[in-house]
mmCIF file with all atom_site columns, all heavy atoms in Angstrom:
data_model
loop_
_atom_site.group_PDB
_atom_site.id
_atom_site.type_symbol
_atom_site.label_atom_id
_atom_site.label_alt_id
_atom_site.label_comp_id
_atom_site.label_asym_id
_atom_site.label_entity_id
_atom_site.label_seq_id
_atom_site.pdbx_PDB_ins_code
_atom_site.Cartn_x
_atom_site.Cartn_y
_atom_site.Cartn_z
_atom_site.occupancy
_atom_site.B_iso_or_equiv
_atom_site.pdbx_formal_charge
_atom_site.auth_seq_id
_atom_site.auth_comp_id
_atom_site.auth_asym_id
_atom_site.auth_atom_id
_atom_site.pdbx_PDB_model_num
ATOM 1   N N   . ASP M 1 77  ? -96.099  18.274 -59.474 1.00 95.00 ? 245 ASP M N   1
ATOM 2   C CA  . ASP M 1 77  ? -97.091  17.755 -58.529 1.00 95.00 ? 245 ASP M CA  1
ATOM 3   C C   . ASP M 1 77  ? -97.466  16.297 -58.801 1.00 95.00 ? 245 ASP M C   1
ATOM 4   O O   . ASP M 1 77  ? -98.119  15.660 -57.964 1.00 95.00 ? 245 ASP M O   1
ATOM 5   C CB  . ASP M 1 77  ? -98.350  18.632 -58.528 1.00 95.00 ? 245 ASP M CB  1
ATOM 6   C CG  . ASP M 1 77  ? -98.961  18.820 -59.903 1.00 95.00 ? 245 ASP M CG  1
ATOM 7   O OD1 . ASP M 1 77  ? -98.218  18.899 -60.892 1.00 95.00 ? 245 ASP M OD1 1
ATOM 8   O OD2 . ASP M 1 77  ? -100.200 18.906 -59.996 1.00 95.00 ? 245 ASP M OD2 1
ATOM 9   N N   . TRP M 1 78  ? -97.032  15.747 -59.940 1.00 97.00 ? 246 TRP M N   1
ATOM 10  C CA  . TRP M 1 78  ? -97.323  14.344 -60.248 1.00 97.00 ? 246 TRP M CA  1
ATOM 11  C C   . TRP M 1 78  ? -96.172  13.406 -59.895 1.00 97.00 ? 246 TRP M C   1
ATOM 12  O O   . TRP M 1 78  ? -96.310  12.181 -59.995 1.00 97.00 ? 246 TRP M O   1
ATOM 13  C CB  . TRP M 1 78  ? -97.677  14.197 -61.736 1.00 97.00 ? 246 TRP M CB  1
ATOM 14  C CG  . TRP M 1 78  ? -99.099  14.556 -62.017 1.00 97.00 ? 246 TRP M CG  1
ATOM 15  C CD1 . TRP M 1 78  ? -99.571  15.746 -62.487 1.00 97.00 ? 246 TRP M CD1 1
ATOM 16  C CD2 . TRP M 1 78  ? -100.241 13.730 -61.810 1.00 97.00 ? 246 TRP M CD2 1
ATOM 17  N NE1 . TRP M 1 78  ? -100.933 15.715 -62.600 1.00 97.00 ? 246 TRP M NE1 1
ATOM 18  C CE2 . TRP M 1 78  ? -101.380 14.474 -62.190 1.00 97.00 ? 246 TRP M CE2 1
ATOM 19  C CE3 . TRP M 1 78  ? -100.425 12.432 -61.349 1.00 97.00 ? 246 TRP M CE3 1
ATOM 20  C CZ2 . TRP M 1 78  ? -102.665 13.972 -62.114 1.00 97.00 ? 246 TRP M CZ2 1
ATOM 21  C CZ3 . TRP M 1 78  ? -101.706 11.920 -61.267 1.00 97.00 ? 246 TRP M CZ3 1
ATOM 22  C CH2 . TRP M 1 78  ? -102.818 12.684 -61.650 1.00 97.00 ? 246 TRP M CH2 1
ATOM 23  N N   . HIS M 1 79  ? -95.041  13.950 -59.495 1.00 97.00 ? 247 HIS M N   1
ATOM 24  C CA  . HIS M 1 79  ? -93.892  13.086 -59.187 1.00 97.00 ? 247 HIS M CA  1
ATOM 25  C C   . HIS M 1 79  ? -94.215  12.103 -58.070 1.00 97.00 ? 247 HIS M C   1
ATOM 26  O O   . HIS M 1 79  ? -93.901  10.912 -58.159 1.00 97.00 ? 247 HIS M O   1
ATOM 27  C CB  . HIS M 1 79  ? -92.690  13.939 -58.781 1.00 97.00 ? 247 HIS M CB  1
ATOM 28  C CG  . HIS M 1 79  ? -92.128  14.752 -59.893 1.00 97.00 ? 247 HIS M CG  1
ATOM 29  N ND1 . HIS M 1 79  ? -91.029  15.579 -59.738 1.00 97.00 ? 247 HIS M ND1 1
ATOM 30  C CD2 . HIS M 1 79  ? -92.495  14.879 -61.199 1.00 97.00 ? 247 HIS M CD2 1
ATOM 31  C CE1 . HIS M 1 79  ? -90.757  16.166 -60.885 1.00 97.00 ? 247 HIS M CE1 1
ATOM 32  N NE2 . HIS M 1 79  ? -91.644  15.775 -61.782 1.00 97.00 ? 247 HIS M NE2 1
ATOM 33  N N   . HIS M 1 80  ? -94.823  12.591 -57.006 1.00 98.00 ? 248 HIS M N   1
ATOM 34  C CA  . HIS M 1 80  ? -95.090  11.763 -55.828 1.00 98.00 ? 248 HIS M CA  1
ATOM 35  C C   . HIS M 1 80  ? -96.028  10.598 -56.137 1.00 98.00 ? 248 HIS M C   1
ATOM 36  O O   . HIS M 1 80  ? -95.669  9.430  -55.911 1.00 98.00 ? 248 HIS M O   1
ATOM 37  C CB  . HIS M 1 80  ? -95.629  12.632 -54.694 1.00 98.00 ? 248 HIS M CB  1
ATOM 38  C CG  . HIS M 1 80  ? -96.145  11.872 -53.528 1.00 98.00 ? 248 HIS M CG  1
ATOM 39  N ND1 . HIS M 1 80  ? -97.506  11.728 -53.286 1.00 98.00 ? 248 HIS M ND1 1
ATOM 40  C CD2 . HIS M 1 80  ? -95.511  11.191 -52.544 1.00 98.00 ? 248 HIS M CD2 1
ATOM 41  C CE1 . HIS M 1 80  ? -97.674  11.002 -52.194 1.00 98.00 ? 248 HIS M CE1 1
ATOM 42  N NE2 . HIS M 1 80  ? -96.483  10.670 -51.724 1.00 98.00 ? 248 HIS M NE2 1
ATOM 43  N N   . PRO M 1 81  ? -97.235  10.842 -56.657 1.00 98.00 ? 249 PRO M N   1
ATOM 44  C CA  . PRO M 1 81  ? -98.125  9.698  -56.892 1.00 98.00 ? 249 PRO M CA  1
ATOM 45  C C   . PRO M 1 81  ? -97.585  8.714  -57.921 1.00 98.00 ? 249 PRO M C   1
ATOM 46  O O   . PRO M 1 81  ? -97.744  7.490  -57.772 1.00 98.00 ? 249 PRO M O   1
ATOM 47  C CB  . PRO M 1 81  ? -99.437  10.350 -57.373 1.00 98.00 ? 249 PRO M CB  1
ATOM 48  C CG  . PRO M 1 81  ? -99.065  11.712 -57.827 1.00 98.00 ? 249 PRO M CG  1
ATOM 49  C CD  . PRO M 1 81  ? -97.903  12.127 -56.977 1.00 98.00 ? 249 PRO M CD  1
ATOM 50  N N   . TYR M 1 82  ? -96.920  9.208  -58.950 1.00 98.00 ? 250 TYR M N   1
ATOM 51  C CA  . TYR M 1 82  ? -96.385  8.302  -59.963 1.00 98.00 ? 250 TYR M CA  1
ATOM 52  C C   . TYR M 1 82  ? -95.223  7.472  -59.414 1.00 98.00 ? 250 TYR M C   1
ATOM 53  O O   . TYR M 1 82  ? -95.083  6.282  -59.733 1.00 98.00 ? 250 TYR M O   1
ATOM 54  C CB  . TYR M 1 82  ? -95.930  9.081  -61.193 1.00 98.00 ? 250 TYR M CB  1
ATOM 55  C CG  . TYR M 1 82  ? -97.043  9.398  -62.176 1.00 98.00 ? 250 TYR M CG  1
ATOM 56  C CD1 . TYR M 1 82  ? -96.924  10.455 -63.082 1.00 98.00 ? 250 TYR M CD1 1
ATOM 57  C CD2 . TYR M 1 82  ? -98.205  8.629  -62.218 1.00 98.00 ? 250 TYR M CD2 1
ATOM 58  C CE1 . TYR M 1 82  ? -97.934  10.738 -63.998 1.00 98.00 ? 250 TYR M CE1 1
ATOM 59  C CE2 . TYR M 1 82  ? -99.221  8.910  -63.127 1.00 98.00 ? 250 TYR M CE2 1
ATOM 60  C CZ  . TYR M 1 82  ? -99.082  9.958  -64.016 1.00 98.00 ? 250 TYR M CZ  1
ATOM 61  O OH  . TYR M 1 82  ? -100.078 10.232 -64.917 1.00 98.00 ? 250 TYR M OH  1
ATOM 62  N N   . ALA M 1 83  ? -94.372  8.072  -58.590 1.00 98.00 ? 251 ALA M N   1
ATOM 63  C CA  . ALA M 1 83  ? -93.254  7.325  -58.014 1.00 98.00 ? 251 ALA M CA  1
ATOM 64  C C   . ALA M 1 83  ? -93.754  6.231  -57.078 1.00 98.00 ? 251 ALA M C   1
ATOM 65  O O   . ALA M 1 83  ? -93.225  5.108  -57.077 1.00 98.00 ? 251 ALA M O   1
ATOM 66  C CB  . ALA M 1 83  ? -92.313  8.271  -57.276 1.00 98.00 ? 251 ALA M CB  1
ATOM 67  N N   . ILE M 1 84  ? -94.770  6.540  -56.278 1.00 98.00 ? 252 ILE M N   1
ATOM 68  C CA  . ILE M 1 84  ? -95.338  5.533  -55.376 1.00 98.00 ? 252 ILE M CA  1
ATOM 69  C C   . ILE M 1 84  ? -95.896  4.368  -56.187 1.00 98.00 ? 252 ILE M C   1
ATOM 70  O O   . ILE M 1 84  ? -95.641  3.186  -55.889 1.00 98.00 ? 252 ILE M O   1
ATOM 71  C CB  . ILE M 1 84  ? -96.440  6.155  -54.502 1.00 98.00 ? 252 ILE M CB  1
ATOM 72  C CG1 . ILE M 1 84  ? -95.862  7.245  -53.587 1.00 98.00 ? 252 ILE M CG1 1
ATOM 73  C CG2 . ILE M 1 84  ? -97.160  5.082  -53.703 1.00 98.00 ? 252 ILE M CG2 1
ATOM 74  C CD1 . ILE M 1 84  ? -94.920  6.742  -52.534 1.00 98.00 ? 252 ILE M CD1 1
ATOM 75  N N   . ALA M 1 85  ? -96.656  4.695  -57.244 1.00 98.00 ? 253 ALA M N   1
ATOM 76  C CA  . ALA M 1 85  ? -97.254  3.647  -58.074 1.00 98.00 ? 253 ALA M CA  1
ATOM 77  C C   . ALA M 1 85  ? -96.178  2.827  -58.788 1.00 98.00 ? 253 ALA M C   1
ATOM 78  O O   . ALA M 1 85  ? -96.292  1.600  -58.898 1.00 98.00 ? 253 ALA M O   1
ATOM 79  C CB  . ALA M 1 85  ? -98.210  4.275  -59.091 1.00 98.00 ? 253 ALA M CB  1
ATOM 80  N N   . ALA M 1 86  ? -95.136  3.484  -59.273 1.00 98.00 ? 254 ALA M N   1
ATOM 81  C CA  . ALA M 1 86  ? -94.066  2.779  -59.972 1.00 98.00 ? 254 ALA M CA  1
ATOM 82  C C   . ALA M 1 86  ? -93.328  1.827  -59.036 1.00 98.00 ? 254 ALA M C   1
ATOM 83  O O   . ALA M 1 86  ? -93.019  0.684  -59.403 1.00 98.00 ? 254 ALA M O   1
ATOM 84  C CB  . ALA M 1 86  ? -93.095  3.779  -60.592 1.00 98.00 ? 254 ALA M CB  1
ATOM 85  N N   . ALA M 1 87  ? -93.044  2.288  -57.825 1.00 98.00 ? 255 ALA M N   1
ATOM 86  C CA  . ALA M 1 87  ? -92.354  1.420  -56.860 1.00 98.00 ? 255 ALA M CA  1
ATOM 87  C C   . ALA M 1 87  ? -93.201  0.197  -56.534 1.00 98.00 ? 255 ALA M C   1
ATOM 88  O O   . ALA M 1 87  ? -92.691  -0.931 -56.485 1.00 98.00 ? 255 ALA M O   1
ATOM 89  C CB  . ALA M 1 87  ? -92.030  2.212  -55.595 1.00 98.00 ? 255 ALA M CB  1
ATOM 90  N N   . LYS M 1 88  ? -94.484  0.411  -56.319 1.00 98.00 ? 256 LYS M N   1
ATOM 91  C CA  . LYS M 1 88  ? -95.366  -0.711 -55.991 1.00 98.00 ? 256 LYS M CA  1
ATOM 92  C C   . LYS M 1 88  ? -95.497  -1.680 -57.157 1.00 98.00 ? 256 LYS M C   1
ATOM 93  O O   . LYS M 1 88  ? -95.795  -2.865 -56.959 1.00 98.00 ? 256 LYS M O   1
ATOM 94  C CB  . LYS M 1 88  ? -96.735  -0.182 -55.553 1.00 98.00 ? 256 LYS M CB  1
ATOM 95  C CG  . LYS M 1 88  ? -96.700  0.522  -54.204 1.00 98.00 ? 256 LYS M CG  1
ATOM 96  C CD  . LYS M 1 88  ? -98.081  1.011  -53.788 1.00 98.00 ? 256 LYS M CD  1
ATOM 97  C CE  . LYS M 1 88  ? -98.040  1.642  -52.399 1.00 98.00 ? 256 LYS M CE  1
ATOM 98  N NZ  . LYS M 1 88  ? -99.366  2.147  -51.958 1.00 98.00 ? 256 LYS M NZ  1
ATOM 99  N N   . ALA M 1 89  ? -95.269  -1.183 -58.369 1.00 98.00 ? 257 ALA M N   1
ATOM 100 C CA  . ALA M 1 89  ? -95.296  -2.049 -59.556 1.00 98.00 ? 257 ALA M CA  1
ATOM 101 C C   . ALA M 1 89  ? -93.946  -2.730 -59.784 1.00 98.00 ? 257 ALA M C   1
ATOM 102 O O   . ALA M 1 89  ? -93.780  -3.480 -60.761 1.00 98.00 ? 257 ALA M O   1
ATOM 103 C CB  . ALA M 1 89  ? -95.692  -1.239 -60.784 1.00 98.00 ? 257 ALA M CB  1
ATOM 104 N N   . GLY M 1 90  ? -92.977  -2.470 -58.913 1.00 98.00 ? 258 GLY M N   1
ATOM 105 C CA  . GLY M 1 90  ? -91.667  -3.114 -59.029 1.00 98.00 ? 258 GLY M CA  1
ATOM 106 C C   . GLY M 1 90  ? -90.751  -2.500 -60.059 1.00 98.00 ? 258 GLY M C   1
ATOM 107 O O   . GLY M 1 90  ? -89.798  -3.145 -60.507 1.00 98.00 ? 258 GLY M O   1
ATOM 108 N N   . LYS M 1 91  ? -91.009  -1.241 -60.419 1.00 98.00 ? 259 LYS M N   1
ATOM 109 C CA  . LYS M 1 91  ? -90.184  -0.580 -61.428 1.00 98.00 ? 259 LYS M CA  1
ATOM 110 C C   . LYS M 1 91  ? -89.134  0.307  -60.759 1.00 98.00 ? 259 LYS M C   1
ATOM 111 O O   . LYS M 1 91  ? -89.413  0.996  -59.771 1.00 98.00 ? 259 LYS M O   1
ATOM 112 C CB  . LYS M 1 91  ? -91.051  0.308  -62.344 1.00 98.00 ? 259 LYS M CB  1
ATOM 113 C CG  . LYS M 1 91  ? -92.253  -0.386 -62.948 1.00 98.00 ? 259 LYS M CG  1
ATOM 114 C CD  . LYS M 1 91  ? -91.886  -1.568 -63.827 1.00 98.00 ? 259 LYS M CD  1
ATOM 115 C CE  . LYS M 1 91  ? -93.119  -2.166 -64.505 1.00 98.00 ? 259 LYS M CE  1
ATOM 116 N NZ  . LYS M 1 91  ? -92.788  -3.394 -65.260 1.00 98.00 ? 259 LYS M NZ  1
ATOM 117 N N   . HIS M 1 92  ? -87.933  0.308  -61.303 1.00 98.00 ? 260 HIS M N   1
ATOM 118 C CA  . HIS M 1 92  ? -86.930  1.275  -60.877 1.00 98.00 ? 260 HIS M CA  1
ATOM 119 C C   . HIS M 1 92  ? -87.372  2.665  -61.328 1.00 98.00 ? 260 HIS M C   1
ATOM 120 O O   . HIS M 1 92  ? -88.075  2.807  -62.344 1.00 98.00 ? 260 HIS M O   1
ATOM 121 C CB  . HIS M 1 92  ? -85.563  0.934  -61.469 1.00 98.00 ? 260 HIS M CB  1
ATOM 122 C CG  . HIS M 1 92  ? -85.085  -0.434 -61.099 1.00 98.00 ? 260 HIS M CG  1
ATOM 123 N ND1 . HIS M 1 92  ? -84.698  -0.768 -59.815 1.00 98.00 ? 260 HIS M ND1 1
ATOM 124 C CD2 . HIS M 1 92  ? -84.945  -1.569 -61.841 1.00 98.00 ? 260 HIS M CD2 1
ATOM 125 C CE1 . HIS M 1 92  ? -84.332  -2.026 -59.784 1.00 98.00 ? 260 HIS M CE1 1
ATOM 126 N NE2 . HIS M 1 92  ? -84.471  -2.549 -61.001 1.00 98.00 ? 260 HIS M NE2 1
ATOM 127 N N   . ILE M 1 93  ? -86.950  3.695  -60.587 1.00 98.00 ? 261 ILE M N   1
ATOM 128 C CA  . ILE M 1 93  ? -87.507  5.027  -60.799 1.00 98.00 ? 261 ILE M CA  1
ATOM 129 C C   . ILE M 1 93  ? -86.409  6.045  -61.044 1.00 98.00 ? 261 ILE M C   1
ATOM 130 O O   . ILE M 1 93  ? -85.481  6.186  -60.232 1.00 98.00 ? 261 ILE M O   1
ATOM 131 C CB  . ILE M 1 93  ? -88.333  5.475  -59.573 1.00 98.00 ? 261 ILE M CB  1
ATOM 132 C CG1 . ILE M 1 93  ? -89.451  4.464  -59.291 1.00 98.00 ? 261 ILE M CG1 1
ATOM 133 C CG2 . ILE M 1 93  ? -88.902  6.871  -59.785 1.00 98.00 ? 261 ILE M CG2 1
ATOM 134 C CD1 . ILE M 1 93  ? -89.978  4.558  -57.876 1.00 98.00 ? 261 ILE M CD1 1
ATOM 135 N N   . LEU M 1 94  ? -86.514  6.749  -62.166 1.00 98.00 ? 262 LEU M N   1
ATOM 136 C CA  . LEU M 1 94  ? -85.687  7.916  -62.442 1.00 98.00 ? 262 LEU M CA  1
ATOM 137 C C   . LEU M 1 94  ? -86.644  9.101  -62.508 1.00 98.00 ? 262 LEU M C   1
ATOM 138 O O   . LEU M 1 94  ? -87.465  9.199  -63.424 1.00 98.00 ? 262 LEU M O   1
ATOM 139 C CB  . LEU M 1 94  ? -84.937  7.755  -63.756 1.00 98.00 ? 262 LEU M CB  1
ATOM 140 C CG  . LEU M 1 94  ? -83.757  8.688  -64.025 1.00 98.00 ? 262 LEU M CG  1
ATOM 141 C CD1 . LEU M 1 94  ? -82.949  8.196  -65.216 1.00 98.00 ? 262 LEU M CD1 1
ATOM 142 C CD2 . LEU M 1 94  ? -84.182  10.123 -64.263 1.00 98.00 ? 262 LEU M CD2 1
ATOM 143 N N   . CYS M 1 95  ? -86.543  9.988  -61.525 1.00 98.00 ? 263 CYS M N   1
ATOM 144 C CA  . CYS M 1 95  ? -87.506  11.084 -61.397 1.00 98.00 ? 263 CYS M CA  1
ATOM 145 C C   . CYS M 1 95  ? -86.841  12.409 -61.742 1.00 98.00 ? 263 CYS M C   1
ATOM 146 O O   . CYS M 1 95  ? -85.690  12.664 -61.366 1.00 98.00 ? 263 CYS M O   1
ATOM 147 C CB  . CYS M 1 95  ? -88.041  11.119 -59.959 1.00 98.00 ? 263 CYS M CB  1
ATOM 148 S SG  . CYS M 1 95  ? -89.382  12.302 -59.697 1.00 98.00 ? 263 CYS M SG  1
ATOM 149 N N   . GLU M 1 96  ? -87.582  13.245 -62.455 1.00 97.00 ? 264 GLU M N   1
ATOM 150 C CA  . GLU M 1 96  ? -87.105  14.601 -62.682 1.00 97.00 ? 264 GLU M CA  1
ATOM 151 C C   . GLU M 1 96  ? -87.102  15.359 -61.354 1.00 97.00 ? 264 GLU M C   1
ATOM 152 O O   . GLU M 1 96  ? -87.778  14.998 -60.404 1.00 97.00 ? 264 GLU M O   1
ATOM 153 C CB  . GLU M 1 96  ? -87.983  15.337 -63.708 1.00 97.00 ? 264 GLU M CB  1
ATOM 154 C CG  . GLU M 1 96  ? -87.331  15.568 -65.049 1.00 97.00 ? 264 GLU M CG  1
ATOM 155 C CD  . GLU M 1 96  ? -85.998  16.284 -64.952 1.00 97.00 ? 264 GLU M CD  1
ATOM 156 O OE1 . GLU M 1 96  ? -85.901  17.293 -64.224 1.00 97.00 ? 264 GLU M OE1 1
ATOM 157 O OE2 . GLU M 1 96  ? -85.037  15.840 -65.585 1.00 97.00 ? 264 GLU M OE2 1
ATOM 158 N N   . LYS M 1 97  ? -86.321  16.429 -61.326 1.00 96.00 ? 265 LYS M N   1
ATOM 159 C CA  . LYS M 1 97  ? -86.297  17.263 -60.125 1.00 96.00 ? 265 LYS M CA  1
ATOM 160 C C   . LYS M 1 97  ? -87.330  18.386 -60.271 1.00 96.00 ? 265 LYS M C   1
ATOM 161 O O   . LYS M 1 97  ? -87.722  18.722 -61.403 1.00 96.00 ? 265 LYS M O   1
ATOM 162 C CB  . LYS M 1 97  ? -84.890  17.809 -59.893 1.00 96.00 ? 265 LYS M CB  1
ATOM 163 C CG  . LYS M 1 97  ? -84.304  18.597 -61.077 1.00 96.00 ? 265 LYS M CG  1
ATOM 164 C CD  . LYS M 1 97  ? -84.877  19.994 -61.163 1.00 96.00 ? 265 LYS M CD  1
ATOM 165 C CE  . LYS M 1 97  ? -84.709  20.617 -62.519 1.00 96.00 ? 265 LYS M CE  1
ATOM 166 N NZ  . LYS M 1 97  ? -85.522  21.837 -62.682 1.00 96.00 ? 265 LYS M NZ  1
ATOM 167 N N   . PRO M 1 98  ? -87.791  18.964 -59.169 1.00 96.00 ? 266 PRO M N   1
ATOM 168 C CA  . PRO M 1 98  ? -87.528  18.520 -57.804 1.00 96.00 ? 266 PRO M CA  1
ATOM 169 C C   . PRO M 1 98  ? -88.219  17.185 -57.559 1.00 96.00 ? 266 PRO M C   1
ATOM 170 O O   . PRO M 1 98  ? -89.227  16.875 -58.188 1.00 96.00 ? 266 PRO M O   1
ATOM 171 C CB  . PRO M 1 98  ? -88.134  19.617 -56.939 1.00 96.00 ? 266 PRO M CB  1
ATOM 172 C CG  . PRO M 1 98  ? -89.267  20.128 -57.765 1.00 96.00 ? 266 PRO M CG  1
ATOM 173 C CD  . PRO M 1 98  ? -88.769  20.075 -59.186 1.00 96.00 ? 266 PRO M CD  1
ATOM 174 N N   . VAL M 1 99  ? -87.684  16.422 -56.618 1.00 96.00 ? 267 VAL M N   1
ATOM 175 C CA  . VAL M 1 99  ? -88.210  15.084 -56.386 1.00 96.00 ? 267 VAL M CA  1
ATOM 176 C C   . VAL M 1 99  ? -89.700  15.120 -56.058 1.00 96.00 ? 267 VAL M C   1
ATOM 177 O O   . VAL M 1 99  ? -90.459  14.235 -56.464 1.00 96.00 ? 267 VAL M O   1
ATOM 178 C CB  . VAL M 1 99  ? -87.409  14.394 -55.264 1.00 96.00 ? 267 VAL M CB  1
ATOM 179 C CG1 . VAL M 1 99  ? -87.432  15.194 -53.978 1.00 96.00 ? 267 VAL M CG1 1
ATOM 180 C CG2 . VAL M 1 99  ? -87.903  12.978 -55.031 1.00 96.00 ? 267 VAL M CG2 1
ATOM 181 N N   . ALA M 1 100 ? -90.136  16.134 -55.308 1.00 96.00 ? 268 ALA M N   1
ATOM 182 C CA  . ALA M 1 100 ? -91.539  16.225 -54.886 1.00 96.00 ? 268 ALA M CA  1
ATOM 183 C C   . ALA M 1 100 ? -91.800  17.654 -54.449 1.00 96.00 ? 268 ALA M C   1
ATOM 184 O O   . ALA M 1 100 ? -90.987  18.551 -54.694 1.00 96.00 ? 268 ALA M O   1
ATOM 185 C CB  . ALA M 1 100 ? -91.808  15.234 -53.757 1.00 96.00 ? 268 ALA M CB  1
ATOM 186 N N   . LEU M 1 101 ? -92.933  17.859 -53.784 1.00 95.00 ? 269 LEU M N   1
ATOM 187 C CA  . LEU M 1 101 ? -93.295  19.199 -53.325 1.00 95.00 ? 269 LEU M CA  1
ATOM 188 C C   . LEU M 1 101 ? -93.077  19.397 -51.832 1.00 95.00 ? 269 LEU M C   1
ATOM 189 O O   . LEU M 1 101 ? -93.296  20.489 -51.318 1.00 95.00 ? 269 LEU M O   1
ATOM 190 C CB  . LEU M 1 101 ? -94.758  19.495 -53.669 1.00 95.00 ? 269 LEU M CB  1
ATOM 191 C CG  . LEU M 1 101 ? -95.121  19.447 -55.157 1.00 95.00 ? 269 LEU M CG  1
ATOM 192 C CD1 . LEU M 1 101 ? -96.557  19.894 -55.364 1.00 95.00 ? 269 LEU M CD1 1
ATOM 193 C CD2 . LEU M 1 101 ? -94.175  20.307 -55.987 1.00 95.00 ? 269 LEU M CD2 1
#
Side-chain angles (χ1 to χ4, degrees):
D245 54 325
W246 279 98
H247 292 181
H248 170 255
Y250 276 158
I252 297 293
K256 290 181 177 179
K259 309 299 185 185
H260 302 290
I261 303 160
L262 196 168
C263 187
E264 251 306 314
K265 56 77 200 167
V267 57
L269 300 186

